[in-house]
Amino acid sequence: MTSPISPVPEATEQALNDFFDVTTRISLRPSYEGGNISTTIGFKHVHYLIEAAVLEHFRAAGLGATTLYVEYGVGFDVVSVDTRLHTVLTLDDDVAVEVKPVTKDTDDRLRFAITATVQRDGAPRKAATTTFEVALRAIEHVEDPKPLPERLARFVVPRLGAATPKKIAAVPVDNIDLSAQRGVTTRSGDPVLAEIIGDDNAFGWKWRVPYFYCHFTSHMQMSGFLRQMEEVLHLFVADRGIAIHRLLDERNWIPVVTKSDLRLTDEVRIEDELYTVFTIEDVFKAILFTARMDCYVMRDGALVQVATGHITHGYVTKESPERDWSLVTFDEEVLAALGGKNLDAN
């Protein structure tokens, strides 16, 4: 049986006060799509679940995404996430999510502190904690929108960031295979990626943004960048000879993310060519590594950074249903790959 869905209420003065002052509590289940390895949920879909809870907080105030778009001419855009994952979620978990407004009077973005909790052995256990920041982006093609309530008007922006362009000597090469949509990497000889990376211990990927990573008929949304973070990690380890599939088959090493953050610094439009660079920053006690993801586009011959973030990654194994997940220690091959010492492996 399913519970009836409550209609989105009208925006009222009291609902708006609650929006800034009252914590929203909601129970959600992860998306079935997120069960990529066994029944565990990847970090990207944990973020999707949390984003859904934040949207419910808006709906409770009569400010659902459709209302914001159609009536007020603004789009709901997550522009920053900073998340720590504490417990593995699985497909049928009932996840209790608390969305607490923490916006200060001096903030130019709506800020929320979020805690996701799941039941384990009859007791609640923290699954994820995160801070989300939301901007209300003006939609150009909505005619005669209503004015937003005064308390929300200051969070409306004409675009998601305005990064300063950086001159670059390299000239982009039109070598994207649109039929495959897989893009090219530094190994394919892309000069822009090569110049961005230089001597860093990094991997680069050039790719054309499809419409289904975007929203509002306009620009790439946060979920698209989260997909990008997952994809570039996947491509990086394969390029270094330690592909996800291989480690699963040979060692039963399951990839896990313990922490991630991502911040949008400018906008990416539909079918922009996106340059993504994945740089290894640190290896901690041979059980976790931290990498930085930077995303760029070329505009008028200059490089514009559109997003930056970090991901902390390791591997876990579980030998029997009775055992807890445990982090594995990197062996010499993995440490060498992370250190950039086997770049000719493929």
Side-chain angles (χ1 to χ4, degrees), residues 7-17 19 58-64 67-68 71-72 146-149 152:
V8 176
E10 293 290 330
T12 63
E13 188 65 30
Q14 182 58 51
L16 190 62
N17 289 336
F19 177 86
F58 275 75
R59 291 188 185 108
L63 298 169
T67 300
L68 287 171
E71 296 187 18
Y72 297 104
K146 295 194 307 186
L148 274 168
L152 284 173

Side-chain angles (χ1 to χ4, degrees), residues 76-81 108-110 132-137 157 159-161 222 262-265 306 308:
F76 169 97
D77 265 288
V78 179
V79 291
S80 176
V81 299
D108 57 2
R109 294 171 172 180
L110 294 156
F132 263 43
E133 294 186 346
V134 174
L136 302 176
R137 184 192 179 279
V157 295
R159 61 181 294 120
L160 305 179
M222 175 60 77
L262 190 53
R263 177 171 57 91
L264 308 191
T265 54
V306 293
T308 186

Side-chain angles (χ1 to χ4, degrees), residues 197 199-203 236 240 278-281 337-340 343:
I197 291 172
D199 295 327
D200 290 344
N201 179 15
F203 169 85
F236 164 78
R240 295 291 175 94
F278 189 81
T279 306
I280 298 296
E281 291 195 327
L338 295 175
L343 294 181

Side-chain angles (χ1 to χ4, degrees), residues 98-151:
E98 291 190 350
V99 180
K100 181 180 180 181
V102 291
T103 307
K104 299 178 181 177
D105 292 340
T106 54
D107 287 338
D108 57 2
R109 294 171 172 180
L110 294 156
R111 299 180 71 245
F112 303 91
I114 301 154
T115 302
T117 305
V118 66
Q119 291 291 318
R120 291 287 182 265
D121 299 322
R125 182 179 294 184
K126 191 179 294 182
T129 50
T130 183
T131 301
F132 263 43
E133 294 186 346
V134 174
L136 302 176
R137 184 192 179 279
I139 305 298
E140 299 93 338
H141 51 264
V142 175
E143 296 182 2
D144 300 321
K146 295 194 307 186
L148 274 168
E150 185 177 351
R151 292 184 69 183

Side-chain angles (χ1 to χ4, degrees), residues 150-286:
E150 185 177 351
R151 292 184 69 183
L152 284 173
R154 67 186 174 96
F155 302 105
V156 177
V157 295
R159 61 181 294 120
L160 305 179
T164 302
K166 176 184 176 182
K167 290 297 181 183
I168 188 169
V171 177
V173 175
D174 187 13
N175 53 4
I176 292 222
D177 180 357
L178 286 176
S179 63
Q181 279 287 325
R182 298 307 300 160
V184 295
T185 70
T186 42
R187 296 293 189 85
S188 307
D190 186 90
V192 173
L193 287 173
E195 183 170 339
I196 296 171
I197 291 172
D199 295 327
D200 290 344
N201 179 15
F203 169 85
W205 181 37
K206 175 185 176 183
W207 170 79
R208 187 162 293 169
V209 175
Y211 81 91
F212 46 85
Y213 275 43
C214 303
H215 61 182
F216 305 133
T217 327
S218 173
H219 54 280
M220 188 163 162
Q221 58 181 302
M222 175 60 77
S223 66
F225 285 99
L226 289 167
R227 290 186 186 189
Q228 189 77 357
M229 181 173 272
E230 186 174 57
E231 178 81 10
V232 76
L233 168 65
H234 175 82
L235 293 172
F236 164 78
V237 292
D239 185 74
R240 295 291 175 94
I242 52 170
I244 299 292
H245 190 204
R246 181 194 158 204
L247 296 190
L248 282 168
D249 276 356
E250 296 180 3
R251 311 181 195 184
N252 195 31
W253 285 16
I254 299 169
V256 64
V257 174
T258 62
K259 191 177 186 304
S260 65
D261 63 81
L262 190 53
R263 177 171 57 91
L264 308 191
T265 54
D266 212 314
E267 287 190 353
V268 175
R269 295 286 179 155
I270 295 173
E271 296 190 358
D272 272 351
E273 292 184 356
L274 189 68
Y275 298 84
T276 300
V277 176
F278 189 81
T279 306
I280 298 296
E281 291 195 327
D282 186 39
V283 177
F284 177 73
K285 294 185 177 180

